[in-house]
Amino acid sequence: MLRLFLGLFLVMTIGLVLALQTVERTFDALLDYQMQDYNREAVRGQAWTLAQQLRDLDGPAREKQLETIRPHYGLGLTLVDTSELALSDEEKAELAKGLLVIRDKYSQYISAIDDGPQLLSIRLPAEPSLMPFYIAAAYLMIAVLIGFVLFFWVRPHWRDLEKLRLAAERFGDNDLSVRIQLSKRSNIRDLAEHFNLMAARIEGLIANQRELTNAVSHELRTPIARLSFELDQLKQQSDPSQNRELIADMYADLGELEEMVSELLTYASLERGATVIKRENIQAANWLDSVVGSVALEAEAAGVQLLIGDCRLDTVRIEPRFMARAVINLLRNAIRYAEQRVEVTLVRTGDYYEVRVNDDGPGVPVHGREKIFEPFSRLDASRDRRTGGFGLGLALVRRVSQSHGGQVEVGDSAWGGASFRMTWSHLD
């Protein structure tokens, strides 16, 4: 706090002194003629009276008369010759007009007595000898008052900044739950709120990263264990036909691992914002046909009829690769749990596009409708009667929809199964 206070105090004090001096000199220059006129008028009457008393007298008599009246005026009165003053042309013109010549910052006034070379010098009383001390004391008092006010202004700021510093220090020491609570009157409340948002975001990302790491470790164990078992079996088998079956199973496990890694990398890329979403205007019907075609064989193998419902759009504005991946994940999820049929529709309502995937499976329990969009989440047997997938498909769907400025939700379809609805704005 001391460094902050001293820094502000020096800047404000020096700045104030410089500002006062600048203002004073500026207005002295701008108002010079007005000040000269004002001071001439203030002294003009005394100068005229003195000149009248001296005008009819000669040199020695003038000096004697001046000595007589000098104590009664309290002014420095002297007789001077024109040649002693080195008058400028402007000052000579002023005397010729009957005006007083002003010198030494309005402290000396020179008046003509008559048409002769002798002039009357009128000097105002000198300032008190302690005036420089008084001026210095005045500036010191101003500095003290500034310091007093500044202290009470800096103190709450320093207190709040110290809270922010301590919170940042604790956050750096891995206390990710630390937050800052400041008064509504605090001038750095907005900064504290942004710190809290940042801390919450980082805490959420780290927690999500830990969950992903734990979940990935768990998910990888199954195919790796199967591969290990199959390799052991391969060593022990002598029948070539059985070897081919084991090798086919191993390729299937490798494919499963590859698909898991691919989905994980895609999800992680969207989660940390490393992927730039560039939307394009795509022909809607052709794009949806190609997406449905990607899973047609899977639907046929599962004995599920895959239908394209309403699609009356000419174009749709999306990032085609990620959006295709999201819709494919929705279709695969529906095929996995459907009894006989799955339907996908693509429509536009107002400013929003909507993809809806309906199936006639067991549906999703109400309590699990939010959970299924979390990475590696699994529901009970009502929706998980056929194992498969890694729990990343629907999480990836949510991330893709969010990257398009939309959302995804699940409800009940008209056939009694699940109805997944993904919406996003047509604006970038």
Side-chain angles (χ1 to χ4, degrees):
M1 177 182 176
L2 182 61
R3 181 180 298 179
L4 175 64
F5 172 76
L6 290 178
L8 288 173
F9 175 74
L10 289 176
V11 168
M12 291 189 65
T13 303
I14 295 174
L16 180 61
V17 171
L18 293 177
L20 291 174
Q21 291 294 319
T22 301
V23 170
E24 180 181 356
R25 294 178 185 277
T26 300
F27 277 89
D28 283 347
L30 292 175
L31 302 177
D32 183 58
Y33 288 108
Q34 290 88 335
M35 292 299 296
Q36 287 188 20
D37 292 342
Y38 171 81
N39 284 278
R40 280 196 184 99
E41 290 299 310
V43 181
R44 184 167 61 89
Q46 293 173 310
W48 182 84
T49 301
L50 290 169
Q52 284 293 103
Q53 296 183 41
L54 299 175
R55 181 172 294 124
D56 297 331
L57 303 175
D58 56 9
R62 285 181 178 178
E63 186 66 40
K64 185 177 180 181
Q65 178 66 15
L66 201 60
E67 289 179 0
T68 303
I69 62 178
R70 186 181 289 123
H72 303 288
Y73 277 84
L75 301 171
L77 304 175
T78 55
L79 296 172
V80 294
D81 194 83
T82 305
S83 60
E84 299 175 6
L85 295 175
L87 296 172
S88 65
D89 293 338
E90 183 180 355
E91 290 175 335
K92 291 178 181 178
E94 290 175 346
L95 289 174
K97 295 177 182 179
L99 300 176
L100 296 176
V101 173
I102 302 176
R103 286 185 173 183
D104 297 338
K105 297 181 179 180
Y106 316 114
S107 65
Q108 183 183 14
Y109 300 84
I110 300 172
S111 171
I113 299 176
D114 51 23
D115 295 334
Q118 197 172 49
L119 304 173
L120 174 63
S121 171
I122 304 172
R123 188 174 291 277
L124 299 180
E127 293 182 349
S129 59
L130 296 178
M131 184 59 68
F133 171 78
Y134 294 149
I135 294 175
Y139 277 108
L140 180 61
M141 185 179 296
I142 291 174
V144 170
L145 292 175
I146 290 175
F148 184 77
V149 173
L150 189 61
F151 174 81
F152 286 98
W153 183 81
V154 166
R155 190 171 182 274
H157 288 76
W158 172 82
R159 182 188 61 225
D160 294 343
L161 288 172
E162 185 67 11
K163 288 182 180 179
L164 182 61
R165 185 190 68 81
L166 293 174
E169 184 177 340
R170 288 174 56 192
F171 193 82
D173 292 336
N174 207 31
D175 183 3
L176 303 182
S177 63
V178 64
R179 299 294 184 269
I180 307 173
Q181 300 296 330
L182 297 181
S183 168
K184 293 182 179 180
R185 296 188 298 273
S186 174
N187 290 328
I188 65 167
R189 181 178 174 82
D190 289 342
L191 178 61
E193 290 179 351
H194 281 88
F195 174 87
N196 291 339
L197 290 175
M198 177 198 70
R201 176 63 174 165
I202 293 175
E203 184 181 19
L205 287 174
I206 292 177
N208 188 43
Q209 190 69 24
R210 289 172 179 168
E211 291 176 3
L212 281 176
T213 302
N214 294 334
V216 168
S217 300
H218 176 76
E219 293 292 333
L220 288 175
R221 286 194 185 102
T222 301
I224 290 176
R226 288 201 303 262
L227 280 171
S228 178
F229 175 77
E230 288 158 354
L231 283 171
D232 290 338
Q233 291 294 313
L234 190 61
K235 292 178 182 179
Q236 300 173 10
Q237 291 292 341
S238 57
D239 187 353
S241 62
Q242 293 183 349
N243 288 348
R244 284 194 295 271
E245 293 178 3
L246 286 171
I247 291 173
D249 290 340
M250 292 171 66
Y251 274 116
D253 290 332
L254 287 174
E256 184 178 338
L257 285 172
E258 183 179 359
E259 185 178 355
M260 181 190 299
V261 170
S262 176
E263 290 218 343
L264 180 62
L265 290 176
T266 303
Y267 177 83
S269 176
L270 290 170
E271 173 70 15
R272 67 174 182 267
T275 301
V276 178
I277 300 298
K278 295 183 179 179
R279 298 201 205 180
E280 305 173 21
N281 289 319
I282 304 297
Q283 190 173 11
N286 291 342
W287 174 79
L288 188 59
D289 285 339
S290 66
V291 170
V292 171
S294 300
V295 295
L297 292 178
E298 298 178 31
E300 184 179 352
V304 173
Q305 184 181 12
L306 187 55
L307 306 172
I308 297 179
D310 193 5
C311 182
R312 292 173 293 178
L313 298 179
D314 293 329
T315 60
V316 60
R317 187 162 181 77
I318 55 173
E319 200 291 326
R321 183 169 65 92
F322 284 114
M323 187 58 73
R325 185 65 174 270
V327 177
I328 287 173
N329 284 356
L330 287 177
L331 291 173
R332 283 178 173 169
N333 178 79
I335 291 169
R336 184 176 300 121
Y337 299 109
E339 296 291 346
Q340 295 179 345
R341 54 182 174 172
V342 171
E343 181 186 62
V344 58
T345 61
L346 173 59
V347 297
R348 176 172 173 177
T349 305
D351 294 334
Y352 289 87
Y353 297 110
E354 176 185 310
V355 167
R356 189 183 291 268
V357 176
N358 298 317
D359 66 58
D360 59 352
V364 180
V366 175
H367 65 83
R369 291 181 178 179
E370 184 65 25
K371 181 182 177 182
I372 60 174
F373 295 107
E374 297 175 2
F376 297 104
S377 64
R378 290 242 161 73
L379 296 182
D380 57 12
S382 65
R383 185 70 182 173
D384 209 19
R385 58 183 174 80
R386 304 177 201 170
T387 60
F390 320 108
L392 271 177
L394 295 180
L396 183 59
V397 171
R398 169 177 278 182
R399 288 303 174 195
V400 171
S401 65
Q402 289 176 344
S403 69
H404 282 68
Q407 61 181 357
V408 62
E409 58 188 8
V410 61
D412 297 324
S413 73
W415 305 330
S419 177
F420 286 86
R421 177 174 173 268
M422 181 169 60
T423 59
W424 67 96
S425 173
H426 78 283
L427 302 175
D428 291 343

